[in-house]
Amino acid sequence: MIKDITLGQFFPGDSVIHKMDPRMKIILTVVFVAIIFVVKNFLGFAVAAIFLASAVLISKIPVRTVLKGIKPLLFIIIFTAFFNVFYGTGVKVFPDISWLSWLTYGGLERAVFMVIRIVLLIIGTSLMTYTTSPVMLSDAIERLLSPLKHLKVPVHELSMMMTIAMRFIPTLIDETEKITNAQKARGADFETGNIIRRAKALIPILIPLIVSAFRRAEELADAMECRCYNGGDGRTRYKIYNFSLRDYIASIIMLAVLAIVIVINIFF
Amino acid sequence: MIITTENLIYKYGVGTPFEKTALDNVSVSIREGDYVGLIGQTGSGKSTLISHFNAILKPTSGKVIVDGEDLWQDNKHKRIQTRFKVGLVFQYPEYQLFEDTVYNDIAFGPKNMGLSAEEIDSRIMKSIEFVGLDKKFLQKSPFELSGGQKRRVAIAGVMAMSPKVLILDEPAAGLDPKGRDEILARIREYHSETKSTVLLVSHSMEDIAQNAKSIIVMNRAKCIMHASVQQVFENAGMLEKIGLDIPQITRVFISLHNKGYNVSSNIYTVQDAAKEIMRCLKEGGLYD
Amino acid sequence: MNNIIDVENLTFSYNPEEHSAVVLDGIDLQIEKNSFVAILGHNGSGKSTLAKHFNGILLPTGGKVYACGFDTCDNDKLLEIRRNMGMVFQNPDNQIIASVVDEDVAFALENLGVEHNEMVKRVDEALEIVGMTEYKHHAPHRLSGGQKQRVAIAGIIAMKPSCLILDEPTAMLDPQGRKEIMSTIKRLKTEQGVTIVLITHYMDEAVQADRVVVMDDGKILLDGTPEYVFQNVGLLHSVALDVPQAAELMYKLREYDIKVPISVLHEAECVDVLSKLLEGKIDNHH
């Protein structure tokens, strides 16, 4: 059911990784992504993979859930693998079979390399969203971007928009379900017919949904004014983030992984 | 029987940590032509139950039989037909309006039924009259109307399908006393004129007392009672215990009754209360 | 200065050129500090429009509105007025801004620039007052209607307003939720000394106030104690309002020339009066 989809797929928990400062998690995720792109050989991937596997174990997110995250992107993975195999060069795997002549050891190696890279990327970034609530994520992004305020980037407005969007997504999902049921009760059929027919069938859902979103926005604006909202100037924050020991340790480990990968790149 | 459920069970989120039984072995039968009140606290399963009557929700187990047909026995076509037989007006139905004119919005249901243009037209005229709106509204945009008027348009949109059963989930929610009385009076009129079955879901025992002939009481996913208004309200204490509000006047008469005065404890409306007091005064020779 | 709200000859129209668009028509109203006033009227009587003038969400077309002594037209005082005149709306879903209860309660405090330690303290206090402490870290959309509305109230009282204006706060709630809200606001009045202005069309809520103001067609129709206001059964019916069943019964009995008192609102009183009547202790004409 539509309700089962949770944005960002956050899994509440109390592991060390859950408790880390969300800003640090974002920074370290970016570093991890950089490492994945720096890696030049399988040994480097092995180091990154061991690091990531330990992180997953520490987070206590079920391994099955983590692997499930790859599923929606399976198509892209297969697609990438296929192209890398196809454009590979080097020794042919089956030199005697003409219609398999395109299959080379070099191509296979490249394909496996790319697949590992994508899989590590997906798992690495989803570990962040699995262990950080959307609210904390948007909060952390705002704080990390706040230096951009000096460049006249409306950081506060953007983050307020994100906060409100996240607050209203579940409400609007509920509402969509209600309106859909109401139109079904009037005999609307969303399940048969060609694409155009089906798209047309959505109008009775979309219009009420948009009308209601505007009504909500208007009421919300009044409510925010009543609570003295006046833009970002002079605001204080309820949530305060402080880097703690675990954040420093995590960043040291991450730097060590980076160093090892670089060393491997140079010497192997 | 127009609607029957047999051992109906419905569970949300089966297999997840949020699994919850919303309907627990509910077997009810609704007589054709009855005006049924459905009461129960929020979360007691009322809305889940009525969503089964027109195949919006599929039972986890058990049967729903509408007009002699088992809804989930075979094809989908039958279930769509069921939606025309059992008209369901959800809470705050005004939020489902979407067409450019009131006329077209009311026509949505009848059009989905595949009726002819003339038939649709005559049904729109009839239903707009049932809900007591002037015909001049037909060419207006539904979004220009007041809240109460919008609600009537939405109800007319379901009435226009001429369902055998009309189900209304809190049709008066959020309306002021006048709006509430008018809507309920219109529904009463529709019931007596079309002889169709009506099921009214409400928190207000007063509204139920003034309108329904029989009552279904839901509590914690179970149907704990289905009987005449009289029989159900005789259990005022039980109703209060399961979190329902009984009318002030009923509480007054229960107190009087318990104090030993010769008055009935089944009084739900002020009108009945005045009559009862006058009866007692006359019998006691205090008024002639 | 004893009046927290002072409305002088207020008129309001969304479109001043057209006379038919007049929503408020010459309102004079004073609301005393630490009172509990219910403003009763049917939909479209102008009661919500009036309420929105109390904290400067709407500004008068004619006349003056003073809130806490400040003219609501005075832009420099607007923030001060909003902080003092907290306002809660009908739909709890559309006034909760954050995805976690305590962060939402903190929203106004963040806007006011309250210092962090003080903010944490006030959030906890506000949640305590509305009895939602155990839901501090919950997501608002999973709460019941009554609970959401209590969170909305907490978000306002965290500002420590001197007055709380509630615009049909129970219209979308079930009986359970309505009870929760009524007991919360009564507690706010007695324990925190907050002035309460409750806009409603439920007479059973209005009965609980110290004073009831009945509005119709942009004007004040009746103003007084609940006992006084609900004597006017016929007049209230004529403007599409209910009266408590007890008052209505007394009205009906008086039509039979039975001399029951006119101002009976509550269950216990009603039982008392009827007992006496049935024992022949109340005079009747016949």
Side-chain angles (χ1 to χ4, degrees):
Chain A
M1 217 154 66
I2 194 163
K3 269 186 190 157
D4 298 336
I5 304 166
T6 50
L7 187 89
Q9 293 291 319
F10 170 54
F11 288 85
D14 58 355
S15 73
V16 181
I17 300 191
H18 280 91
K19 285 184 197 149
M20 267 174 67
D21 189 309
R23 291 171 303 172
M24 187 55 91
K25 276 191 265 189
I26 293 177
I27 295 170
L28 294 188
T29 306
V30 172
V31 174
F32 182 75
V33 170
I35 290 175
I36 298 296
F37 279 101
V38 166
V39 168
K40 277 188 187 154
N41 52 34
F42 288 105
L43 191 57
F45 275 148
V47 174
I50 289 168
F51 166 78
L52 190 57
S54 337
V56 169
L57 287 182
I58 292 169
S59 75
K60 294 192 188 123
I61 306 276
V63 177
R64 264 184 68 187
T65 314
V66 176
L67 295 178
K68 252 190 196 164
I70 300 173
K71 220 171 128 192
L73 295 164
L74 210 55
F75 174 75
I76 294 177
I77 296 173
I78 293 170
F79 192 76
T80 318
F82 179 77
F83 268 89
N84 280 289
V85 169
F86 208 71
Y87 290 107
T89 50
V91 182
K92 288 183 171 126
V93 181
F94 302 104
D96 304 328
I97 308 173
S98 61
W99 62 272
L100 275 174
S101 64
W102 50 269
L103 193 62
T104 63
Y105 282 111
L108 275 181
E109 197 186 311
R110 259 183 70 143
V112 173
F113 191 86
M114 290 308 290
V115 168
I116 293 178
R117 177 177 279 176
I118 296 176
V119 168
L120 287 179
L121 273 180
I122 296 170
I123 295 178
T125 45
S126 53
L127 187 61
M128 177 181 73
T129 53
Y130 283 152
T131 57
T132 320
S133 76
V135 182
M136 286 177 104
L137 266 185
S138 78
D139 225 23
I141 292 171
E142 182 194 358
R143 284 163 212 232
L144 287 172
L145 293 182
S146 63
L148 295 179
K149 271 180 199 157
H150 302 295
L151 301 173
K152 302 247 184 273
V153 178
V155 177
H156 166 74
E157 283 74 10
L158 289 173
S159 100
M160 186 53 77
M161 273 165 60
M162 273 206 289
T163 306
I164 292 173
M166 272 183 246
R167 151 71 185 81
F168 277 90
I169 283 170
T171 308
L172 290 178
I173 288 176
D174 276 354
E175 183 140 34
T176 310
E177 206 161 83
K178 274 186 204 151
I179 296 172
T180 309
N181 283 341
Q183 306 301 22
K184 270 190 192 164
R186 295 207 279 167
D189 181 3
F190 305 110
E191 283 142 28
T192 53
N194 58 29
I195 291 187
I196 297 175
R197 236 195 93 137
R198 284 191 196 201
K200 261 187 156 171
L202 290 180
I203 292 176
I205 297 177
L206 290 177
I207 292 181
L209 202 57
I210 293 168
V211 170
S212 127
F214 273 104
R215 183 176 43 84
R216 285 181 191 282
E218 222 169 284
E219 288 182 21
L220 187 69
D222 270 352
M224 286 172 76
E225 268 194 61
C226 285
R227 289 165 78 182
C228 303
Y229 180 68
N230 221 346
D233 297 337
R235 273 190 113 221
T236 46
R237 302 304 298 256
Y238 174 64
K239 273 215 145 160
I240 286 186
Y241 295 110
N242 282 317
F243 290 135
S244 61
L245 187 61
R246 57 176 161 260
D247 298 300
Y248 293 117
I249 293 175
S251 53
I252 290 168
I253 295 174
M254 188 62 95
L255 286 178
V257 174
L258 179 64
I260 294 171
V261 165
I262 291 172
V263 169
I264 290 174
N265 273 349
I266 296 171
F267 292 100
F268 293 89
Chain B
M1 293 298 161
I2 186 80
I3 298 178
T4 308
T5 67
E6 289 173 11
N7 306 101
L8 178 58
I9 293 178
Y10 184 76
K11 290 180 179 167
Y12 281 107
V14 177
T16 72
F18 307 108
E19 183 173 318
K20 195 191 158 224
T21 305
L23 291 177
D24 190 2
N25 225 355
V26 175
S27 301
V28 288
S29 299
I30 292 168
R31 227 168 358 92
E32 186 149 19
D34 201 358
Y35 193 135
V36 185
L38 177 55
I39 54 176
Q41 256 196 314
T42 307
S44 60
K46 288 174 298 177
S47 298
T48 314
L49 181 62
I50 58 172
S51 295
H52 278 88
F53 291 164
N54 70 343
I56 293 275
L57 288 178
K58 186 181 178 183
T60 307
S61 73
K63 279 186 189 169
V64 182
I65 298 156
V66 172
D67 207 12
E69 285 186 282
D70 183 342
L71 289 191
W72 297 93
Q73 207 172 40
D74 45 36
N75 65 46
K76 196 163 84 185
H77 179 71
K78 195 162 73 189
R79 287 194 285 279
I80 297 233
Q81 289 307 311
T82 303
R83 303 220 170 115
F84 304 132
K85 265 187 208 161
V86 180
L88 183 47
V89 181
F90 284 94
Q91 252 183 65
Y92 299 99
E94 55 272 29
Y95 296 145
Q96 74 193 33
L97 303 176
F98 71 99
E99 280 282 9
D100 52 347
T101 63
V102 168
Y103 186 96
N104 288 340
D105 212 288
I106 300 177
F108 183 67
K111 258 189 204 156
N112 286 330
M113 296 171 80
L115 300 176
S116 70
E118 297 86 64
E119 177 66 17
I120 293 177
D121 189 72
S122 91
R123 287 197 176 190
I124 292 172
M125 295 306 162
K126 239 188 272 167
S127 58
I128 196 98
E129 205 169 301
F130 274 134
V131 297
L133 275 183
D134 197 284
K135 289 198 170 54
K136 71 174 189 223
F137 284 106
L138 285 172
Q139 292 314 319
K140 284 197 177 176
S141 158
F143 301 108
E144 288 170 23
L145 309 183
S146 76
Q149 290 164 340
K150 276 186 205 167
R151 179 149 323 165
R152 291 178 195 211
V153 171
I155 294 174
V158 175
M159 285 180 172
M161 303 195 300
S162 301
K164 285 191 165 181
V165 184
L166 179 67
I167 304 177
L168 303 109
D169 192 353
E170 295 279 355
L175 298 181
D176 60 15
K178 184 175 159 212
R180 179 198 66 209
D181 290 346
E182 274 174 10
I183 290 259
L184 292 175
R186 291 296 165 178
I187 296 167
R188 248 191 336 262
E189 209 165 285
Y190 169 87
H191 170 67
S192 63
E193 212 163 295
T194 61
K195 308 275 179 275
S196 57
T197 316
V198 172
L199 197 152
L200 177 72
V201 181
S202 177
H203 282 121
S204 161
M205 306 286 258
E206 281 160 82
D207 293 351
I208 296 275
Q210 280 170 14
N211 290 284
K213 293 174 189 157
S214 73
I215 299 181
I216 296 174
V217 186
M218 296 283 298
N219 185 41
R220 296 187 179 182
K222 286 193 160 86
C223 167
I224 56 170
M225 218 178 175
H226 183 190
S228 70
V229 174
Q230 196 76 3
Q231 285 165 313
V232 170
F233 280 169
E234 270 169 23
N235 297 286
M238 181 268 287
L239 295 175
E240 253 188 332
K241 217 175 273 166
I242 64 169
L244 294 170
D245 247 359
I246 58 173
Q248 185 190 37
I249 206 75
T250 311
R251 288 200 302 266
V252 167
F253 274 74
I254 290 173
S255 290
L256 288 173
H257 184 85
N258 291 346
K259 283 186 169 186
Y261 294 100
N262 179 28
V263 294
S264 159
S265 59
N266 302 325
I267 300 292
Y268 318 104
T269 64
V270 173
Q271 199 129 20
D272 291 347
K275 269 190 217 151
E276 180 68 5
I277 293 288
M278 294 316 290
R279 181 191 66 79
C280 283
L281 290 179
K282 279 173 193 162
E283 273 177 15
L286 294 164
Y287 189 95
D288 44 31
Chain C
M1 188 202 63
N2 239 349
N3 292 333
I4 193 146
I5 296 171
D6 195 342
V7 178
E8 289 173 7
N9 196 22
L10 166 66
T11 57
F12 179 77
S13 164
Y14 282 102
N15 183 359
E17 263 100 84
E18 260 181 81
H19 185 72
S20 63
V22 171
V23 187
L24 297 177
D25 190 3
I27 304 264
D28 281 298
L29 179 68
Q30 282 76 39
I31 290 177
E32 265 178 48
K33 256 185 198 156
N34 199 20
S35 58
F36 176 1
V37 180
I39 300 184
L40 199 60
H42 62 81
N43 291 344
S45 59
K47 60 188 192 304
S48 288
T49 311
L50 177 62
K52 284 186 179 153
H53 278 83
F54 294 160
N55 70 344
I57 290 283
L58 291 176
L59 296 175
T61 309
K64 282 284 172 204
V65 176
Y66 297 95
C68 295
F70 303 122
D71 185 341
T72 57
C73 289
D74 184 352
N75 231 332
D76 295 337
K77 293 281 182 257
L78 206 53
L79 221 54
E80 186 61 21
I81 291 173
R82 297 258 163 89
R83 192 194 67 71
N84 263 302
M85 312 293 289
M87 190 152 186
V88 173
F89 295 92
Q90 187 185 98
N91 189 340
D93 267 329
N94 297 349
Q95 47 190 326
I96 293 177
I97 288 123
S99 305
V100 185
V101 166
D102 62 339
E103 287 178 29
D104 185 74
V105 175
F107 180 73
L109 303 177
E110 294 181 318
N111 295 333
L112 291 166
V114 173
E115 178 263 328
H116 184 259
N117 289 338
E118 170 73 8
M119 183 151 28
V120 173
K121 207 182 98 207
R122 286 219 220 159
V123 168
D124 288 347
E125 275 172 13
L127 284 171
E128 185 71 49
I129 291 169
V130 300
M132 288 295 290
T133 305
E134 61 175 307
Y135 295 94
K136 191 175 169 186
H137 299 299
H138 282 232
H141 80 272
R142 296 218 184 267
L143 303 177
S144 74
Q147 290 171 331
K148 281 185 212 174
Q149 198 62 291
R150 273 146 71 200
V151 171
I153 293 175
I156 296 298
I157 57 175
M159 300 193 290
K160 301 209 181 233
S162 27
C163 178
L164 185 63
I165 305 152
L166 303 107
D167 189 0
E168 297 196 38
T170 60
M172 300 185 76
L173 306 183
D174 60 7
Q176 175 61 32
R178 289 178 53 194
K179 275 185 211 152
E180 287 170 24
I181 298 308
M182 287 311 291
S183 73
T184 304
I185 60 182
K186 280 197 281 185
R187 224 176 37 242
L188 277 174
K189 189 208 164 215
T190 50
E191 287 171 19
Q192 313 290 322
V194 179
T195 310
I196 304 285
V197 179
L198 174 69
I199 319 290
T200 183
H201 54 236
Y202 290 115
M203 46 68 206
D204 53 331
E205 292 173 5
V207 165
Q208 301 177 39
D210 311 328
R211 174 179 167 199
V212 179
V213 176
V214 180
M215 289 202 50
D216 184 55
D217 201 19
K219 294 189 180 79
I220 290 175
L221 187 71
L222 283 168
D223 183 352
T225 60
E227 286 74 18
Y228 163 75
V229 166
F230 288 116
Q231 285 171 21
N232 299 280
V233 177
L235 183 61
L236 289 170
H237 279 325
S238 76
V239 295
L241 288 172
D242 275 349
V243 296
Q245 285 184 321
E248 176 120 29
L249 179 59
M250 295 304 131
Y251 180 75
K252 281 231 156 76
L253 291 175
R254 287 175 74 87
E255 281 179 351
Y256 290 103
D257 272 340
I258 297 171
K259 297 244 161 36
V260 284
I262 29 177
S263 60
V264 172
L265 300 177
H266 303 285
E267 191 182 323
E269 274 175 275
C270 187
V271 171
D272 245 30
V273 168
L274 293 180
S275 305
K276 280 187 193 143
L277 179 63
L278 292 170
E279 283 164 18
K281 288 182 192 155
I282 289 179
D283 203 24
N284 68 58
H285 248 235
H286 301 262

